[in-house]
Amino acid sequence: MERRGTSRKRDEAAFLAEYDASRYPRPSLTVDVALIQVEQGRIRSLVRKRGGHPELGKWGLPGGFVRPDESLDEAAARVLREKTGWMRVFLEQLYTFGRVDRDPRTRVVTVAYYALVDAGRLIKAEDSAMQTEWAELVVPWDGERGGTVDCRSADGHRLPLAFDHAEILGMAVRRLRGKLPYAPIGFELLPRRFTLRALQDIHEAILGHTVNKDAFRRRLLASGLISATGVRETGVGHRPAELYRFARGDRETKS
Amino acid sequence: MERRGTSRKRDEAAFLAEYDASRYPRPSLTVDVALIQVEQGRIRSLVRKRGGHPELGKWGLPGGFVRPDESLDEAAARVLREKTGWMRVFLEQLYTFGRVDRDPRTRVVTVAYYALVDAGRLIKAEDSAMQTEWAELVVPWDGERGGTVDCRSADGHRLPLAFDHAEILGMAVRRLRGKLPYAPIGFELLPRRFTLRALQDIHEAILGHTVNKDAFRRRLLASGLISATGVRETGVGHRPAELYRFARGDRETKS
DNA sequence: TGACTTATATGCGTGTAGGATATATGCTCT
DNA sequence: AGAGCATATATCCTACACGCATATAAGTCA
């Protein structure tokens, strides 16, 4: 077997030289990024009003075609960077959507990602030509059942979503609800230092129901995931809570 | 806004007529299916020895190109049907792999699926020209940390895997370990009627560690997911255990 | 018939979650 | 400055699930 190594390698090289990728039809491949933040008990996602066809006038997630020389993760990070200017943000693959007619142009398969950012973060690469909103996500189902979600602008009216993006955002919420109880992702939605109450608010907004305050505090303090800073919040009109920080991984990268 | 509906529709039709999908480079898109079963405390996956280039002689998961007229789910179901003859099997999207150089031919992105079947099931569409094995998965990491896995044949020697299939199988194990404790998927790996011990063996094989027997029984009986059949197993050399069946969903589809 | 093996039932100690209550602390208003 | 207020933080109690141990049941096998 090993003896035939070189000749097999030559065979493979010949095969590769003759290989014609266009022999099989290929769909277009894109990445879309569901950018999620939580503010004042509401889950919000960044959507942009489409200025061109198809689905002109509807709202869509930031996205783009996958280039030949970049991996899927790299494509998602590039899209995020191009549209927001952000570099070191929690970014994870979500699900791949491939319904045949999901895009009227041609067959387009999209690999959806989701990103988590704290609500205080400002978009650096603002594209003034494009209307952008942090739309509130209205989730019409309980638990991890899944389904589509609605988007509402700050002043309450509905923002119609392009393509299957309502489905993508629904999947993002479902994933968050599933991971939140055991994965350290709530911290990604908060600034470097935060109160336990703020973290609890994040959890309640995502899960869609209240959680027991005492148990939440106990579990978190016992987890070792956070450490007290010795500093307290100020100017809150009541007893100030201690500020904590995420203890694992380096969050030094955040502003 | 609504007034301009028809003219906007005409604009979009014109746009679509002129759209040229080949303007952007497109990768090839495939689906790969990690077919999983558990027998005698070992996780196994169906692999086939590649008879052609590239990666000739290595072992790979069943897979194929996504056709223009089928969704990703349909493509995965078709691949499963073509290679095994099975129709109604648990099949779920796993993850999409898109490293630039994962396939030496050209840029190929693959949407990986995993399927769960009971160990008694026989392959109906056996391709005698192709060497096929239910290879044992050796998982060199704990919990849900993730990573690649090794494949071993029944007689113990290592089966080298093609492309990034060791990574795909690792992701499948990781997903199973994550879902098993709270999702009713263990039943998919068992025949219609089974003993609690058999279900526990499945769990232990997947999780990679033993579980407490009493707590396992209590939790499962209290869950309402299974119901007793009143029938007992026979010929086991000790007190026979009661046979249970999965109580939710219709498992009538199974043989 | 008796030894053996595993299933099944029961009881107990412990740890965690949920819930209620009490105290602490900074802000605001008078 | 001091009272009132709202929320953080601490303590205690109860219910329940889990791990563990023990006892009994029901088959096979020598």
Side-chain angles (χ1 to χ4, degrees):
Chain A
M1 284 299 191
E2 279 312 307
R3 231 157 277 235
R4 300 210 45 218
T6 49
S7 99
R8 177 185 296 178
K9 206 167 283 175
R10 202 162 340 111
D11 289 349
E12 174 135 352
F15 164 85
L16 291 174
E18 285 170 26
Y19 185 83
D20 176 16
S22 66
R23 224 171 28 185
Y24 301 96
R26 285 158 297 151
S28 294
L29 189 69
T30 61
V31 288
D32 286 313
V33 180
L35 207 42
I36 305 287
Q37 66 172 206
V38 175
E39 191 170 34
Q40 293 177 326
R42 301 172 214 271
I43 317 176
R44 308 197 305 182
S45 181
L46 189 76
V47 291
R48 297 141 42 93
K49 191 170 188 174
R50 294 181 58 83
H53 291 293
E55 307 264 29
L56 187 146
K58 290 195 179 175
W59 298 76
L61 301 175
F65 289 94
V66 176
R67 297 178 183 162
D69 58 343
E70 65 185 2
S71 69
L72 300 173
D73 288 358
E74 284 163 1
R78 171 179 58 78
V79 164
L80 188 61
R81 195 172 60 243
E82 285 174 357
K83 315 282 174 164
T84 67
W86 299 335
M87 304 283 287
R88 275 175 262 263
V89 164
F90 177 93
L91 182 65
E92 194 173 86
Q93 192 188 113
L94 176 61
Y95 196 79
T96 300
F97 295 81
R99 233 182 44 220
V100 172
D101 60 351
R102 59 176 294 280
D103 190 309
R105 284 171 290 192
T106 179
R107 181 72 193 276
V108 181
V109 170
T110 195
V111 183
Y113 279 73
Y114 70 107
L116 306 179
V117 292
D118 72 274
R121 210 173 253 259
L122 296 174
I123 294 176
K124 292 174 187 165
E126 188 72 58
D127 180 356
S128 55
M130 201 148 195
Q131 210 176 327
T132 299
E133 277 213 50
W134 282 102
E136 179 186 350
L137 301 186
V138 181
V139 184
W141 34 267
D142 290 334
E144 296 179 49
R145 215 187 66 211
T148 60
V149 299
D150 273 354
C151 262
R152 278 193 219 293
S153 70
D155 52 1
H157 63 264
R158 200 157 163 278
L159 302 177
L161 289 170
F163 310 115
D164 51 4
H165 288 189
E167 205 180 328
I168 295 178
L169 285 171
M171 187 68 91
V173 173
R174 190 156 89 123
R175 174 74 61 92
L176 280 174
R177 286 187 175 176
K179 288 195 80 160
L180 193 60
Y182 69 93
I185 55 176
F187 312 107
E188 305 292 341
L189 295 160
L190 288 168
R192 204 155 43 86
R193 299 193 293 182
F194 52 86
T195 63
L196 289 179
R197 161 62 64 185
L199 185 57
Q200 185 180 345
D201 287 343
I202 298 273
H203 278 242
E204 293 183 342
I206 290 175
L207 296 176
H209 60 76
T210 59
V211 306
N212 184 278
K213 180 179 174 177
D214 298 311
F216 182 78
R217 291 173 57 88
R218 259 193 309 241
R219 188 155 20 90
L220 224 75
L221 291 171
S223 74
L225 284 174
I226 60 175
S227 54
T229 61
V231 186
R232 293 169 172 280
E233 61 181 341
T234 53
V236 282
H238 54 78
R239 173 173 175 178
E242 170 125 33
L243 290 171
Y244 290 83
R245 67 163 180 274
F246 183 46
R248 284 232 302 263
D250 46 0
R251 301 266 291 171
E252 316 310 324
T253 58
K254 291 194 72 168
S255 54
Chain B
M1 284 298 191
E2 280 310 309
R3 233 156 275 234
R4 299 210 47 218
T6 48
S7 100
R8 177 184 295 175
K9 206 167 283 175
R10 200 158 345 109
D11 288 349
E12 173 136 352
F15 164 84
L16 292 174
E18 283 171 26
Y19 185 83
D20 176 17
S22 66
R23 226 171 27 186
Y24 300 96
R26 286 157 296 152
S28 295
L29 189 69
T30 60
V31 289
D32 286 315
V33 180
L35 206 41
I36 306 287
Q37 67 172 205
V38 176
E39 191 169 34
Q40 293 177 328
R42 301 172 213 271
I43 317 177
R44 308 197 304 181
S45 180
L46 189 75
V47 291
R48 297 140 42 93
K49 191 169 188 174
R50 294 182 58 83
H53 290 293
E55 306 267 28
L56 188 146
K58 290 196 181 175
W59 298 75
L61 301 175
F65 289 94
V66 176
R67 298 180 182 160
D69 58 343
E70 64 185 3
S71 70
L72 299 173
D73 289 357
E74 285 162 0
R78 171 179 57 78
V79 164
L80 188 62
R81 196 173 58 244
E82 285 174 358
K83 316 282 173 162
T84 67
W86 300 335
M87 305 282 288
R88 274 175 263 264
V89 163
F90 178 93
L91 182 66
E92 194 175 86
Q93 193 187 112
L94 177 62
Y95 196 80
T96 299
F97 295 82
R99 232 181 46 221
V100 172
D101 61 350
R102 59 177 294 281
D103 190 310
R105 284 171 289 191
T106 179
R107 181 74 193 276
V108 181
V109 170
T110 194
V111 183
Y113 279 73
Y114 71 107
L116 306 179
V117 292
D118 70 275
R121 211 174 252 260
L122 297 175
I123 294 175
K124 292 174 187 165
E126 188 72 60
D127 181 356
S128 55
M130 201 150 197
Q131 209 176 327
T132 299
E133 275 212 51
W134 282 102
E136 179 185 351
L137 300 185
V138 182
V139 184
W141 36 267
D142 289 336
E144 296 179 50
R145 216 185 66 210
T148 60
V149 299
D150 274 353
C151 262
R152 278 194 219 292
S153 70
D155 52 0
H157 62 266
R158 199 158 165 277
L159 303 177
L161 288 171
F163 311 114
D164 51 4
H165 289 189
E167 206 179 327
I168 295 178
L169 285 172
M171 187 67 90
V173 172
R174 190 157 89 123
R175 173 75 61 91
L176 280 175
R177 286 187 176 177
K179 288 195 79 162
L180 193 61
Y182 69 92
I185 55 176
F187 311 107
E188 304 292 342
L189 296 160
L190 288 168
R192 204 154 45 84
R193 298 192 294 180
F194 52 85
T195 63
L196 289 178
R197 161 61 65 186
L199 185 56
Q200 184 180 347
D201 287 342
I202 298 274
H203 278 242
E204 293 183 342
I206 289 175
L207 296 175
H209 61 75
T210 59
V211 305
N212 183 279
K213 181 178 173 177
D214 297 309
F216 182 78
R217 291 173 57 87
R218 260 192 310 239
R219 188 157 20 90
L220 224 76
L221 291 171
S223 73
L225 284 174
I226 59 174
S227 55
T229 60
V231 185
R232 295 170 170 280
E233 62 182 340
T234 53
V236 281
H238 53 78
R239 173 174 175 176
E242 170 123 34
L243 291 171
Y244 290 83
R245 65 164 182 274
F246 183 46
R248 282 232 302 264
D250 46 0
R251 300 268 289 170
E252 317 311 325
T253 58
K254 291 195 70 171
S255 56

